[in-house]
Amino acid sequence: MIEVAVPVPVFNTYTYGVPKDLADDVVPGVRVLIPFGKRKLAGYVLGSQTVKPAVRIMDILEVIDPCPLFPDTMVPFFRWMARYYIHPIGEVISEALPSGINPAEMTEFTCNDSGREVCEENKVSGREKSILSALFPGPMRKDALCRALSCEIPVRMIRKMEQNGWIRCEKKMVKGRTRVLTERYACLLSTAIPESGLSAVKQDILDFLAKNSPVPVSDLKQVVKTAATHIRHLEKIGLVRIIEKPVYRDPFGEKVLPDTPPELTLEQKLVVRNVSRAMGEGFCAYLLAGVTGSGKTEVYMRLADEALKRDKSVLVLVPEIALISEVERRFRARFGECVAVLHSGLSAGERHDQWLRIASGAAPIAIGARSAVFAPLMDPGIIIVDEEHDTSYKQENRLRYNARDMAVVRAKLAGAVVLLGSATPSIQSVHNVLGKKYIELNLTKRIHSRALPEVEVVDLRKYKAKRGVDRFITPELHQAATEALGRGEQILLFLNRRGFATYPVCAQCGQPLKCRHCDITLTLHKKANIYKCHMCGYFKAATSLCENCGSPSIKQLGLGTEKIEAAAQKLFPQARIARLDRDSTAKKGALIKTLKSLRNREIDILVGTQMVAKGHDFPNITVVGIICADSSLSFPDFRAGELTFQVLAQVAGRAGRGERPGRVILQTYSPDHFAIESAKKQDFMCFFNQEIGFRRALSYPPFSRLAQVRISGRDKTKTARGATEAGLFCHRSQKQDQEFKLIEILGPIEAPITKIAGSYRWQILVKAPGADILRRFLTEALFKNGFSQKKGGVLVDVDIDPFYLM
């Protein structure tokens, strides 16, 4: 008997029997095809099951994988995640694996003889006749049938036609859309010419195979255009055999030349020595606080080399795809082909191939964004989390995990070392250092003792009365940029908002242009000539009238990267200007192309969002202009100050990483705010000492554990009623257990953004002194108490350790 997790929203696992002929192939980590109710599903084998259930167990139908998709050592990790995040374990594993690999059961329709008869005799309705006629050529699945008829077919009509004996419905398993890519090869078996002889073309093919066998059939087509037809005949008469070989889909761009490791600084040597000593001695967690430009990436590579020497694998997490290309390029230059990457920028096929390379041991170094925390490494020696403070490590849908926290958990379960690195560590991690959970390591100096950039704060309140470009590109920033361009240096202009105008408003009636499906204003994207919602993607033409009064006069208020780019082109007409944000990098390869152009000094001024704020090393950038430092300070979030300080300190650190000194122009409406003052001094502990006092006074993390209960639905009244009901369950459960009185319940209240993508949103915040009591309370209040996760069109889900409170 085996224990199987099923990718459906159920919290328990299931026991299945294994037929004797499949017993040798069933190991933890493989997928098996199982009967599940009236369906057939792919399940994940977790291990053997010794306790026989009281009910009759069914046997698995087949083993899908020739080898495990993940090692058995990852099973405890999946169980831990499922328990901590109160999420079905089958869906946890499904979230971890490459998408589109599971087979699915599809219904196929075939027209029977009686169906043909009634159709030809016109004894059916027009719609039924069109369905039967479409099925005459052969069987079709429902989705294909709907496409052929350009309409949706009611289930009731299908059932009626089946009952009348006109069509036959058959369930068939369809392979996943993502699978191993193969290529056909031709192999020469014999040169014996048959008595009937061969044509000159076939003889040419045999002669070519005699010298080159095996050969891809596609290559043969270059020798003989009609090779595919001739090869089939040669295979039929036994002279040639066709085999299929897997083809590796390479996600990497151009080849990278091997590098020469530089001489380490004294501080770098000390960090490498301390962490290397701990490797192989069990779990240990380190926080590496290194100023920008101090050489953290080189430390990571030296530690990766140490792990490989001990036959251990390495996992490196970076927060965003924009940063992966830089880290991946440097690791490939050092370690060559043993590096694999995992991130959402890969195609489904590329991700699948990278996953198999890691699982097979061909790539002992895995680099990726948050989902790479699931990389199927056999025996990790070290797990590195770069820019550990970054909120991008938190997934905001489905399984709402934090990859940084899960990296620590995975390292602990695997007995590995975890190294969290950042120039601006999170409050949580520094608190863990003070609590002796992590060991602090420091890199206080930049490479070659280069100075940190000079930061100049510009008070934007002085320019409120200005019109035009001077309101957001102040004379101080203009002058600094002009001088840098005159010296042949590069400039970075940072604004964490994309688009052209973020607050379009009617000049006639004063009403903002709002999204039809969300409770936010639209943003003008001038290049695409549309107003777009950044929540749900809704858009309309930039020539649209005001929906309130019909006026065509729309004031384009607010700032975005497009407006900054246009202003820079006006102020510096001779400069080569590029923009780096989610819009400009939507096309595959655009991100790497822009970063390469910046590295090759083909760009003079780069305008960007937080994609450019961290990790990148471009030595010729000497001036950084922070257009408006206040954009995140006003968020209704207890982390607003922390997020503001981190992004400002990070983007400031892009300046002066080469031989020439750097300069930062920080523009703000709140020059006296302690987050701004700390960012100016680039002093994290100054910020921490003030921020931690506020957290302690309000009992917010890290002095408590937080969960957000989200209630959403299409119907406003039903959603409000569901939120009230969820709140009653929470308050009722709090009274039933003495320990639960330590828990604080805030809400239910409407979310700050009350409507997104047509769904009305409410929330309840639950604060608890610890993770265990928080999890027990939520399980008792919402799941064991009979409160359904989806009831009457209202969805209730739970986010443990939430980041996004809007």
Side-chain angles (χ1 to χ4, degrees):
M1 294 184 300
I2 55 171
E3 183 185 10
V4 177
V6 187
V8 294
V10 292
F11 286 90
N12 49 319
T13 57
Y14 295 86
T15 302
Y16 282 87
V18 181
K20 286 184 179 180
D21 58 323
L22 298 177
D24 292 340
D25 300 323
V26 177
V27 293
V30 299
R31 291 173 299 155
V32 290
L33 190 64
I34 56 171
F36 192 78
K38 295 182 179 180
R39 297 180 289 169
K40 294 177 185 175
L41 294 176
Y44 313 109
V45 177
L46 302 181
S48 58
Q49 187 75 288
T50 53
V51 180
K52 190 172 182 179
V55 297
R56 183 179 69 88
I57 63 170
M58 304 180 76
D59 285 346
I60 63 170
L61 303 174
E62 63 175 277
V63 180
I64 298 172
D65 304 304
C67 55
L69 290 180
F70 55 86
D72 58 354
T73 52
M74 287 187 69
V75 173
F77 178 58
F78 291 138
R79 292 189 196 276
W80 195 98
M81 284 193 74
R83 182 168 170 268
Y84 184 79
Y85 288 109
I86 318 176
H87 201 84
I89 186 170
E91 293 190 344
V92 169
I93 299 174
S94 181
E95 182 76 29
L97 297 177
S99 62
I101 62 173
N102 281 345
E105 195 173 54
M106 298 286 185
T107 302
E108 200 171 64
F109 304 128
T110 307
C111 182
N112 292 331
D113 292 339
S114 58
R116 287 179 180 271
E117 288 176 13
V118 294
C119 189
E120 290 166 358
E121 295 172 7
N122 287 322
K123 293 181 179 180
V124 291
S125 68
R127 195 176 220 187
E128 291 169 337
K129 185 174 182 178
S130 63
I131 293 172
L132 292 170
S133 299
L135 293 175
F136 281 179
M140 291 179 78
R141 297 208 304 261
K142 187 183 177 183
D143 55 347
L145 190 57
C146 290
R147 283 198 301 271
L149 300 177
S150 300
C151 67
E152 190 62 36
I153 303 168
V155 176
R156 188 175 60 231
M157 182 176 285
I158 291 291
R159 285 178 184 159
K160 178 190 169 187
M161 295 174 75
E162 184 183 15
Q163 289 167 1
N164 290 336
W166 300 340
I167 63 172
R168 184 172 68 256
C169 299
E170 244 181 319
K171 288 186 176 180
K172 291 189 175 181
M173 294 302 298
V174 179
K175 288 184 178 180
R177 66 181 183 276
T178 306
R179 61 193 79 165
V180 175
L181 181 66
T182 59
E183 186 173 10
R184 296 169 68 238
Y185 278 72
C187 301
L188 184 66
L189 291 181
S190 172
T191 55
I193 308 300
E195 292 182 7
S196 58
L198 291 174
S199 66
V201 174
K202 289 184 176 66
Q203 188 61 56
D204 288 343
I205 291 174
L206 287 181
D207 292 342
F208 186 80
L209 288 175
K211 296 176 183 177
N212 302 285
S213 181
V215 176
V217 174
S218 57
D219 287 1
L220 280 176
K221 290 178 183 178
Q222 296 174 7
V223 180
V224 178
K225 287 185 178 179
T226 55
T229 304
H230 297 297
I231 281 290
R232 282 195 292 270
H233 180 259
L234 292 171
E235 183 184 28
K236 190 175 180 181
I237 62 177
L239 298 181
V240 169
R241 183 168 57 132
I242 301 297
I243 60 173
E244 289 196 348
K245 289 186 176 182
V247 177
Y248 169 57
R249 289 160 281 208
D250 190 355
F252 299 116
E254 58 192 31
K255 289 191 175 181
V256 178
L257 295 175
D259 75 341
T260 303
E263 180 69 26
L264 294 180
T265 66
L266 190 61
E267 286 186 328
Q268 286 176 317
K269 288 178 181 176
L270 192 61
V271 170
V272 171
R273 188 174 67 211
N274 286 339
V275 179
S276 298
R277 283 176 179 171
M279 216 178 290
E281 300 296 320
F283 170 70
C284 192
Y286 290 95
L287 174 65
L288 175 59
V291 298
T292 55
S294 58
K296 291 187 289 295
T297 304
E298 183 60 37
V299 168
Y300 301 156
M301 290 194 289
R302 295 299 178 98
L303 292 172
D305 189 44
E306 283 292 325
L308 294 182
K309 288 176 181 176
R310 304 176 192 209
D311 293 324
K312 301 278 188 180
S313 55
V314 180
L315 174 59
V316 182
L317 297 183
V318 291
E320 289 187 356
I321 298 173
L323 193 52
I324 290 176
S325 61
E326 173 75 15
V327 176
E328 164 247 302
R329 185 177 63 86
R330 294 184 64 178
F331 268 77
R332 282 173 59 214
R334 185 71 53 86
F335 300 105
E337 295 301 315
C338 69
V339 177
V341 291
L342 289 172
H343 57 78
S344 60
L346 304 179
S347 69
E350 288 170 344
R351 183 177 171 84
H352 180 254
D353 289 358
Q354 292 292 297
W355 184 274
L356 294 182
R357 285 183 70 222
I358 299 167
S360 67
I365 299 178
I367 301 172
R370 61 174 175 258
S371 62
V373 76
F374 300 113
L377 296 163
M378 286 296 295
D379 186 15
I382 185 168
I383 298 177
I384 297 165
V385 185
D386 192 26
E387 310 293 357
E388 64 86 23
H389 66 277
D390 201 285
T391 57
S392 299
Y393 283 123
K394 174 69 174 178
Q395 176 152 302
E396 292 294 346
N397 54 18
R398 303 187 302 274
L399 174 59
R400 302 176 189 274
Y401 66 95
N402 187 317
R404 177 202 63 197
D405 297 345
M406 292 306 98
V408 176
V409 171
R410 186 168 181 191
K412 189 171 186 177
L413 294 173
V417 169
V418 63
L419 178 67
L420 311 179
S422 177
T424 55
S426 63
I427 296 287
Q428 180 72 53
S429 294
V430 175
H431 184 71
N432 284 337
V433 168
L434 298 176
K436 308 299 182 185
K437 292 182 180 179
Y438 298 169
I439 299 170
E440 185 177 18
L441 301 169
N442 291 285
L443 295 174
T444 61
K445 299 176 183 176
R446 282 186 158 188
I447 297 296
H448 305 305
S449 299
R450 293 178 182 130
L452 288 168
E454 171 197 343
V455 180
E456 179 184 347
V457 175
V458 177
D459 189 347
L460 285 174
R461 292 174 297 185
K462 296 190 299 183
Y463 300 99
K464 285 181 76 173
K466 294 276 186 180
R467 299 184 65 83
V469 174
D470 285 348
R471 284 186 298 111
F472 49 88
I473 296 185
T474 60
E476 291 90 339
L477 176 55
H478 188 188
Q479 183 182 349
T482 302
E483 292 171 356
L485 289 174
R487 296 190 297 267
E489 297 163 0
Q490 292 172 298
I491 298 156
L492 172 63
L493 299 180
F494 169 78
L495 179 66
N496 209 16
R497 287 177 182 162
R498 56 195 174 100
F500 186 85
T502 55
Y503 193 77
V505 61
C506 177
Q508 192 71 29
C509 68
Q511 285 291 319
L513 270 64
K514 299 187 79 170
C515 175
R516 288 184 181 178
H517 313 296
C518 305
D519 192 25
I520 63 168
T521 55
L522 297 172
T523 296
L524 174 64
H525 288 252
K526 205 166 186 179
K527 189 173 182 180
N529 205 32
I530 58 172
Y531 290 109
K532 187 175 181 181
C533 174
H534 288 173
M535 286 291 179
C536 71
Y538 167 78
F539 65 90
K540 62 182 183 179
T543 54
S544 299
L545 306 178
C546 172
E547 291 187 356
N548 185 56
C549 69
S551 171
S553 181
I554 308 296
K555 284 186 176 181
Q556 307 300 345
L557 304 180
L559 285 175
T561 46
E562 276 192 18
K563 187 176 281 189
I564 301 303
E565 181 186 24
Q569 287 170 341
K570 184 178 178 181
L571 291 172
F572 310 105
Q574 304 304 317
R576 297 165 296 178
I577 300 171
R579 179 165 47 88
L580 193 66
D581 56 23
R582 201 184 304 172
D583 299 319
S584 66
T585 58
K587 188 177 179 181
K588 188 173 182 180
L591 170 65
I592 294 174
K593 184 179 178 182
T594 302
L595 293 176
K596 182 181 175 183
S597 297
L598 188 66
R599 188 179 302 113
N600 294 338
R601 298 173 67 169
E602 296 166 3
I603 295 171
D604 298 316
I605 301 176
L606 181 68
V607 181
T609 58
Q610 66 176 8
M611 293 176 74
V612 301
K614 50 217 165 191
H616 298 293
D617 188 11
F618 297 107
N620 201 48
I621 291 179
T622 57
V623 171
V624 168
I626 300 171
I627 302 300
C628 183
D630 309 274
S631 56
S632 57
L633 269 180
S634 58
F635 281 3
D637 188 330
F638 70 92
R639 291 190 183 91
E642 181 181 7
L643 297 175
T644 300
F645 169 79
Q646 287 167 343
V647 75
L648 295 182
Q650 288 285 338
V651 74
R654 299 314 106 204
R657 297 170 76 95
E659 298 293 335
R660 298 169 182 173
R663 185 180 177 192
V664 179
I665 308 297
L666 193 160
Q667 302 179 161
T668 175
Y669 289 102
S670 311
D672 300 324
H673 193 284
F674 75 93
I676 303 292
E677 290 182 335
S678 300
K680 177 187 177 180
K681 293 185 284 188
Q682 298 177 71
D683 186 342
F684 173 77
M685 289 312 297
C686 172
F687 169 78
F688 176 85
N689 290 331
Q690 292 193 67
E691 177 70 13
I692 202 71
F694 298 139
R695 301 281 184 93
R696 184 183 289 108
L698 296 171
S699 188
Y700 272 116
F703 299 102
S704 65
R705 304 307 289 261
L706 195 65
Q708 183 185 39
V709 181
R710 301 179 179 183
I711 305 99
S712 58
R714 296 277 176 178
D715 186 287
K716 188 174 184 178
T717 305
K718 287 182 179 178
T719 305
R721 193 184 305 131
T724 303
E725 189 179 350
L728 287 173
F729 272 103
C730 287
H731 287 285
R732 192 181 302 157
S733 296
Q734 188 182 29
K735 295 174 183 177
Q736 291 174 353
D737 192 313
Q738 187 66 28
E739 194 178 8
F740 289 165
K741 290 182 180 178
L742 298 172
I743 287 172
E744 184 180 356
I745 301 169
L746 306 175
I749 58 169
E750 284 188 297
I753 301 177
T754 56
K755 186 182 176 187
I756 292 181
S759 286
Y760 295 92
R761 308 164 67 246
W762 286 66
Q763 63 184 22
I764 302 168
L765 288 182
V766 182
K767 286 199 288 187
D772 287 338
I773 184 175
L774 179 63
R775 184 175 56 253
R776 284 196 300 106
F777 171 76
L778 291 169
T779 304
E780 191 72 34
L782 297 179
F783 303 117
K784 288 187 179 178
N785 244 346
F787 190 85
S788 173
Q789 280 185 282
K790 193 164 187 179
K791 184 178 179 182
V794 177
L795 176 68
V796 177
D797 64 39
V798 176
D799 186 1
I800 306 292
D801 304 328
F803 268 29
Y804 185 74
L805 300 176
M806 299 288 284

